[in-house]
Each structure stands twice: as structure tokens, then as C-alpha cells.
Amino acid sequence: MLRIEEPVSRPLPEAGESGDAEAALDDVLTELAGRRDEFRELRHVPKDFVGRLKRTGIYRAATPARFGGEPLPPAEFLRRIERISEVDGSTGWVASFGSALIYLAALPLETQERIYAAGPDIAFAGALFPPQRAAETARGYRVAGRWKFASGCMGADLLGVGLPGDEESGGKPRTAVLRPDQVEIVPEWDVVGMRGTGSFDLVVDGVEVPREWTFVRGGEPTVDEPLYRYPTIAYAAQVLAVVGAGVARTALDHAREIGGGYTGVTGAPKLADRSYYRTEVARAEATLRSARAWFYEVSEQVWTRVLAGDPATDEQNAELRLASAHLAKTSSDVVGTLVEISGTAPIATTHPLQRLSGDALVPKQHAFLGPAIYDAAGAVLMGLPPTSPGFR
């Protein structure tokens, strides 16, 4: 029987080894530009590149300072994920889960001490759905089942699987934390967007997970630091939405660059000489920048409140969720518009907009960012209870 008894043990690179975080990130993005096609073929971001991302501080940006982490204000972390996503959406998506350590802050402090014993740079990947019931044991839970969408699992140091909520958790779902050697990864991931995220299935066969290695998703943190008072589920939605913004930014830059040179086979004027092309590119630019500006504005407002020692209000949480869903949809719509106005060129499988349109589609399809969020946010803004479970 496999049990989590010892801390995760492995060499972890220090963020400062490659100079400051920005310089390290520049180096990593240069490498990423040359390897993104490799990741797409592999269908995952390999562990060696996750190690490169660790050198940028991405995987200590949500580690508690008391355990050697360097927690970043949410907006600062989001901007780094956006930059990565401009180069490759899949890698941005995987890197975004550097924020997922805010979930682990709900574990007992003794458990967290074990997790960070070898260093603060921890890659955590979770497959939470569908929640699988686990039999209670004297020590915890007997976990068995199959879960989907474990983005980044191939490079993860720890894995989580979802359990249903119970009376003790107030109905909120639990997550059981396991080592990779306790889990079978099934590479079932054949998609048109975010192909390189390695969002594979996880299978667990009767592993007993001690109760202290489970946490309530969105539960009260045991760490008293500002980042863990920022709305947890809203932050999880933000880090995914901003990936779409990075993808859309690259699509717009491509449209502006190609507009001056592309001429169709019919002999029609080049794209930049067509009024509808100029108009739609300008409209898309304004639309994306507006959605993005509100997204960061709300994040910074809530962070200021948290730093002052006050919890985010229900309305602020709703605005975070709404701004995230709006940014995800806007980003996908922008890329779709650019495909529509670019003639026949984007129908080629090798055209950049093909990859970008698929990648931009994924964030807005996520449960945290889908159409139901508008209804739930609207209800809260009108003083009603949210209509979507797990909204906060």
C-alpha cells in the first residue's frame, strides 16, 4: 500500500540562478519559440522545460513566504503568464498552474512543511472531474477512479484528484494530493486547441491518502499571508483567461504584420488596402485592450483591498469572475474575426491563425469561464445569490 510519508525530494533550481526573474523569463521565451512545435507534437510540456520555467520563479509565485516562496501580486503573475502565452498558449496554460499552490495553502501546516522541505518550486497539477467517491478509512480516504484534464501532469511534482464535498467540507469538493508514482497517467488528449498542455487522464487504484493530505478546494487557508486572502476560485479563473489574451495579442500582431504584404491569388488588393480589414483589425485591437484593461483594473483593486486587511466583497468577487469570462470570450472572438477577414490563407493547417484560433477557443470553453458565469455574476451584482455552484 502506497502512502505519502516523506517530503517530496528532488533538486530544485533557484529562481536567481539565471539572473533576475525578467531576464530568466526572456531566456525561456526565446527557447520556447524554438520548441513550441515540439511540445505540440508531444502533446505536453516536458519536465525539462518545466524546470526551465521554475528558474523564472513561476512555480514559487504562490508558495507561502514562510516556506521560502516569493508570492507575487496576482496582476504581476498574470502579466507573466500572458507573456508566455504570447509565444505559446499551451505553455502559458501549464505555467498558469504555478498559481495552484494557493489551493495547497488549505492543507495543514505540517503537510505544507513536508511539501516544501526540498525547496519552494513545486509544480502541482490537478484532475478534479468527475469527482470520485472515496471510502473513508481510519487514516483518511481510499482513493480510486479516473479523472480528466490534468493539465501539466507530465511535469508535475504533485498531483491532485477530486473527491465530492461532504458535511465536514460544507459541500465544497475535496482534493486528494498524491505523488506521481501513485498515479497512472493515460495520454488521452486529442484536441484542436492547447494541444501541448498534456491534459491527460489520471487513474488511481485504491491508494490510501491520509486525511492531512487532502484539502477543501476554496477552503480556509492555514497560511496567513495576503495572497491566500485573495479570492481563490476567481484567481484560478483569471490565470486561464489571461492565456487567451496572450494568444489573441499574437494573432493581432500577426494580422498587422501580414496586412501589408499578403495578396490573394485572385489579384485583389493586399489586406491592408481593404477597408473592411483595416476596420476590423482596429476594432479588434480596441476590444481586446478594453477587456484586458478592465481585467487588470479589477484585479489590482481587489489586491489593494486585501493588502489593507479587508476581504474581497461578494461584488468584487463577481467582478473578478465576470472580467475573466469576458476576457476569455473577447480573446476568442478577436481571433475568430481575424480568421474571417484574412481570406483563404488561414484554411491551411500550417497557418499561424489555425493554431491561435484553436488555442483561443479553449479558455472560454472552461467551466470557470463559460456562459453560466455571466448569469451568476449578474445575480450577485443585483444582490441575489450566485446561480452557479462554486462561484466563490
Side-chain angles (χ1 to χ4, degrees):
M1 177 174 61
L2 292 168
R3 296 179 179 175
I4 299 180
E5 296 289 356
E6 299 301 326
V8 177
S9 180
R10 71 214 155 275
L12 292 172
E14 295 296 327
E17 287 180 359
S18 298
D20 62 41
E22 288 301 317
L25 183 57
D26 287 342
D27 290 343
V28 166
L29 294 183
T30 298
E31 180 179 344
L32 177 58
R35 296 187 65 184
R36 60 191 173 197
D37 290 341
E38 171 197 342
F39 300 168
R40 190 172 176 82
E41 287 301 311
L42 287 172
R43 294 184 295 151
H44 70 270
V45 178
K47 200 171 185 68
D48 76 282
F49 197 80
V50 172
R52 294 281 283 128
L53 288 169
K54 286 180 178 179
R55 292 179 180 274
T56 72
I58 288 292
Y59 289 103
R60 62 174 59 185
T63 299
R66 66 179 293 162
F67 297 121
E70 298 173 7
L72 289 177
E76 186 175 341
F77 181 81
L78 292 165
R79 288 187 174 93
R80 292 190 188 184
I81 297 304
E82 187 177 14
R83 282 191 63 197
I84 297 169
S85 303
E86 288 175 11
V87 180
D88 180 50
S90 289
T91 305
W93 189 269
V94 170
S96 79
F97 292 103
S99 67
L101 299 185
I102 59 172
Y103 287 137
L104 301 189
L107 287 166
L109 289 175
E110 295 79 5
T111 304
Q112 294 184 60
E113 287 173 359
R114 288 179 175 273
I115 287 173
Y116 301 115
D121 302 279
I122 299 293
F124 173 64
L128 306 182
F129 301 101
Q132 304 285 347
R133 295 199 174 277
E136 288 198 47
T137 69
R139 299 184 68 242
Y141 299 90
R142 180 80 58 190
V143 177
R146 182 165 179 159
W147 293 260
K148 303 193 73 65
F149 305 132
S151 300
C153 61
M154 297 296 287
D157 302 303
L158 291 172
L159 298 167
V161 296
L163 310 180
D166 51 38
E167 186 174 340
E168 185 181 343
S169 71
K172 291 184 177 181
R174 289 185 180 276
T175 299
V177 180
L178 302 107
R179 300 189 309 266
D181 63 8
Q182 295 175 297
V183 179
E184 177 189 359
I185 296 175
V186 182
E188 186 175 289
W189 184 242
D190 187 11
V191 292
V192 297
M194 302 291 182
R195 183 174 173 81
T197 59
S199 301
F200 300 148
D201 292 4
L202 301 184
V203 176
V204 181
D205 186 14
V207 175
E208 184 179 42
V209 179
R211 189 167 283 101
E212 63 270 21
W213 284 84
T214 70
F215 62 87
V216 177
R217 187 155 51 89
E220 286 296 316
T222 56
V223 176
D224 185 18
E225 295 179 19
L227 182 60
Y228 314 104
R229 296 193 291 269
Y230 190 86
T232 304
I233 305 299
Y235 194 25
Q238 285 186 290
V239 300
L240 303 179
V242 82
V243 175
V247 171
R249 175 73 268 156
T250 296
L252 269 167
D253 290 347
H254 171 81
R256 293 169 66 170
E257 180 181 355
I258 204 71
Y262 175 77
T263 301
V265 295
T266 63
K270 62 186 179 182
L271 292 173
D273 290 335
R274 306 176 196 182
S275 62
Y276 69 83
Y277 188 84
R278 297 192 300 268
T279 299
E280 291 303 326
V281 168
R283 182 177 286 121
E285 188 76 52
T287 301
L288 180 64
R289 289 194 182 196
S290 298
R292 182 180 177 277
W294 182 43
F295 173 84
Y296 281 110
E297 174 190 326
V298 174
S299 182
E300 287 163 354
Q301 286 175 348
V302 175
W303 182 241
T304 297
R305 182 178 174 86
V306 167
L307 287 179
D310 298 316
T313 65
D314 289 343
E315 183 170 326
Q316 286 178 321
N317 181 73
E319 289 184 352
L320 286 172
R321 299 299 303 269
L322 183 57
S324 298
H326 180 59
L327 181 61
K329 185 179 187 306
T330 297
S331 299
S332 182
D333 290 350
V334 161
V335 182
T337 294
L338 298 177
V339 171
E340 183 179 341
I341 64 175
S342 295
T344 58
I347 68 174
T349 57
T350 57
H351 194 278
L353 287 179
Q354 277 292 331
R355 173 177 58 84
L356 295 171
S357 61
D359 285 354
L361 176 67
V362 174
K364 78 168 184 178
Q365 301 299 115
H366 194 280
F368 282 0
L369 299 166
I373 299 304
Y374 288 85
D375 181 36
V380 173
L381 295 179
M382 295 178 203
L384 302 173
T387 56
S388 178
F391 190 70
R392 178 161 187 167

